[in-house]
Every structure is written in C-alpha cells, then in structure tokens.
Amino acid sequence: MYYLRLLGQYALTLLVALSINFFLPRIAPGDPLDYLLSEDTLRAMTQTDRLRVLSDFGLDLPLPMQFFNYLVGILHGDFGLSTQLGQPVWDILMGRLPWTLLLTGGALLFSTLIGSILGVLSAWRRGEFSDIATLSSVLLVGSLPPFWLAMLLIILFSTTLQWLPSFGAYELGAPSGSWDWYVGIAKRMVMPVLALGLVQLASVLLIARSSMLVALEQDFIMFARSKGLSERIIFFKHAFRNAILPLYTNAMLGIGSLVGGALVIETVFSYPGLGSLIVSGVGARDYNLLQGIFVMTTISVIAANLITDLFYSLIDPRTRKSG
C-alpha cells in the first residue's frame, strides 16, 4: 500500500509538471507560429499556409484535444518534429542523451566518491589543520561559477599545458568503436566532468562531514567504545554505515542540479549533449525541441527521486514500514 501511494504521488507530480510544460507557452500572448517559425518565413506565408502549418503541428485542434494528444505522444515517444533540424524530436534527443548521461554520470560519480572520502576524513580529523584546510579549499572551489571554472580548466589543461582538447566529445576522423575513438572520448570528458563535479563537491563534503559527526555522537558509538573497539573500527564500521543515508539522498537529488549545470558546461566545451541543444533550440525558437527536452529532464529528475525513495529501506532498515 505504501509503494502504491508513493507511485501515485510521483505520478501526480509528473502530470503537474507536464501540464505546466504544455499550458505555459500556450497561455502566452501572440500567435503560436511566432514560436515555431522565423519572422521572414511568417511574412512570406499566406493565410492558407498558416492554417496548414497549424494543422501539421496539431495546433488547430481544441486545447483539451491538444493536451490529450500531447500526453499520448509522450507515452509513445512522439514529441513532434523539430522546426530547426527537420527531424523527429525523439530521434534528436536519443542521439544527444547518451553524451549528457555520460557527462552527468561521471560528474556524479566523481563528486560523490571524492566528496564522501574528503568529508569522512575531515570529520575524523575535526578541528585539526587538515580539516580546516580541506573545508576552506573545497568551499572556495565550490563557490566559483561553473562557466568560470570551466574557462580556468581550459586555460590550464588545454592552452598552457596542452594536455587535453577543449571542445567536442570524440576525435573527429577516428573510426567509431576504435581504440582512438574511446581514448578521444575519455580525454574530452576530463575537463567537463571536473567542472561539473568540483562545483557539486562542496555540498557532498559538508553533508558527509556533518552526517559523520552526528553519528559519532550517538549512544551506540559510546557503547562500542566501552567494549574496547578501536577508533578506526568504530568510525568506519559503525559510524559510517549510519551516515550513508544522507549521502545517498544528496547524490540522487544532485542529479537535477547536474542536469542544470550541464547546460553551461556543454556550451563552454561545445559538448554535443542536451545542454548545448537547449541553447540552439532557444536561438531558433524550436518549440517542439525545447518541450521535448523539458519532458525528458523532468522525467529523469522525478525518476531519480522515486528510485531514492524505493531504495531507502534497503540502505537503512530503520526506514522500513512495519508490515
């Protein structure tokens, strides 16, 4: 019953988000064609041409029917045609999505792993010079704007040291699936992942450190010390296991901020993901393309939150419902 109620809550959230995505552009003043076509194209069109275009995009139907078709299209993966690229939006998104997943997944893994380790070690040596130095350094880097940090990385690793390429996702001319192709992907991932992960690192470190400090003040830690267990065993076997849940929650909820940060990072590095696609879509006023990206990112964030809730009980038995 609990899981059914949970699924119902997320389904309602998804429906509200999709409804906002549908109705917000349509309640804006102006002709819908203003969002679909350029000004030069509109001036050259006759009234018959305008009606035909509206019919092609389903905009001549009553609003409730448009909304119904919109939901049915999402269930079937049909987001319409991109006016900018002239291709189905679904095909365009499927071509760009793997690159964004690779980038955000790498940044999430980097920030969670390094941030957790630094946070745990910082809590272990709380009050010492290493604790203060770690906190100051990570908070300083985390406060930097992502685009500015990305530019610093380009200046250091690409311009000055000339170690890494500064644009694209793979080496042009390398056969797809070859060793050189994979090496090119790995090299071009380093700076975008660092730029995204370093900004996210600060919040992970703070949560890991505070969770460990709270766990160390619990009664079961005092009981473990009274049994004569070493501080290392107490810290990693007892305290850390009870501090995992906030880290897990922060990692999953961080997906949303990483997706938002990818917009800027992909633009700086000319990375062919959804972020750079949003920029080109806004410039071309590609309504269907932007709507499809919003739907995909919304579903991804809601799915990440749902997975977080579903796996709570497996990570921490204290959260399990009786019966």
Side-chain angles (χ1 to χ4, degrees), residues 171-242:
E171 184 177 350
L172 297 177
S176 179
S178 65
W179 174 255
D180 292 338
W181 190 71
Y182 286 113
V183 170
I185 291 176
K187 287 183 178 180
R188 286 163 175 80
M189 274 188 62
V190 173
M191 288 195 290
V193 167
L194 280 177
L196 268 179
L198 287 174
V199 175
Q200 190 78 6
L201 188 66
S203 64
V204 178
L205 181 145
L206 291 176
I207 291 176
R209 185 179 184 275
S210 62
S211 299
M212 288 297 298
L213 292 178
V214 170
L216 287 171
E217 296 175 355
Q218 301 302 312
D219 293 338
F220 64 85
I221 298 296
M222 185 182 299
F223 179 71
R225 287 196 176 102
S226 68
K227 290 168 58 178
L229 297 178
S230 67
E231 286 296 318
R232 185 181 297 271
I233 293 177
I234 291 173
F235 195 88
F236 290 102
K237 187 175 181 180
H238 296 278
F240 182 68
R241 291 180 61 184
N242 287 273

Side-chain angles (χ1 to χ4, degrees), residues 131-150:
D131 174 29
I132 298 174
T134 301
L135 282 175
S136 302
S137 302
V138 173
L139 290 177
L140 175 62
V141 175
S143 64
L144 298 176
F147 73 90
W148 195 70
L149 181 58

Side-chain angles (χ1 to χ4, degrees), residues 61-292:
L61 299 174
L63 200 58
M65 183 59 67
Q66 291 185 39
F67 184 61
F68 176 78
N69 293 336
Y70 163 76
L71 295 178
V72 172
I74 291 175
L75 293 176
H76 290 86
D78 181 13
F79 297 135
L81 291 174
S82 168
T83 57
Q84 175 191 6
L85 302 175
Q87 301 175 14
V89 172
W90 176 262
D91 295 342
I92 298 172
L93 297 182
M94 288 299 100
R96 295 291 192 101
L97 181 61
W99 297 112
T100 295
L101 292 178
L102 186 64
L103 178 59
T104 55
L108 181 65
L109 180 63
F110 170 79
S111 62
T112 302
L113 182 62
I114 303 301
S116 299
I117 293 174
L118 292 178
V120 167
L121 295 177
S122 182
W124 193 6
R125 297 182 174 89
R126 59 189 180 277
E128 299 181 6
F129 174 77
S130 59
D131 174 29
I132 298 174
T134 301
L135 282 175
S136 302
S137 302
V138 173
L139 290 177
L140 175 62
V141 175
S143 64
L144 298 176
F147 73 90
W148 195 70
L149 181 58
M151 296 301 296
L152 289 180
L153 292 175
I154 291 176
I155 294 173
L156 175 61
F157 291 109
S158 183
T159 304
T160 305
L161 299 176
Q162 297 183 357
W163 287 354
L164 299 170
S166 60
F167 64 92
Y170 52 88
E171 184 177 350
L172 297 177
S176 179
S178 65
W179 174 255
D180 292 338
W181 190 71
Y182 286 113
V183 170
I185 291 176
K187 287 183 178 180
R188 286 163 175 80
M189 274 188 62
V190 173
M191 288 195 290
V193 167
L194 280 177
L196 268 179
L198 287 174
V199 175
Q200 190 78 6
L201 188 66
S203 64
V204 178
L205 181 145
L206 291 176
I207 291 176
R209 185 179 184 275
S210 62
S211 299
M212 288 297 298
L213 292 178
V214 170
L216 287 171
E217 296 175 355
Q218 301 302 312
D219 293 338
F220 64 85
I221 298 296
M222 185 182 299
F223 179 71
R225 287 196 176 102
S226 68
K227 290 168 58 178
L229 297 178
S230 67
E231 286 296 318
R232 185 181 297 271
I233 293 177
I234 291 173
F235 195 88
F236 290 102
K237 187 175 181 180
H238 296 278
F240 182 68
R241 291 180 61 184
N242 287 273
I244 289 178
L245 190 59
L247 290 174
Y248 167 72
T249 305
N250 179 75
M252 298 302 290
L253 296 181
I255 295 176
S257 60
L258 286 174
V259 172
L263 168 62
V264 177
I265 298 302
E266 289 181 3
T267 303
V268 173
F269 291 99
S270 299
Y271 204 79
L274 296 180
S276 57
L277 193 62
I278 292 176
V279 175
S280 63
V282 170
R285 295 185 298 179
D286 195 334
Y287 169 76
N288 285 343
L289 181 62
L290 295 174
Q291 185 170 263

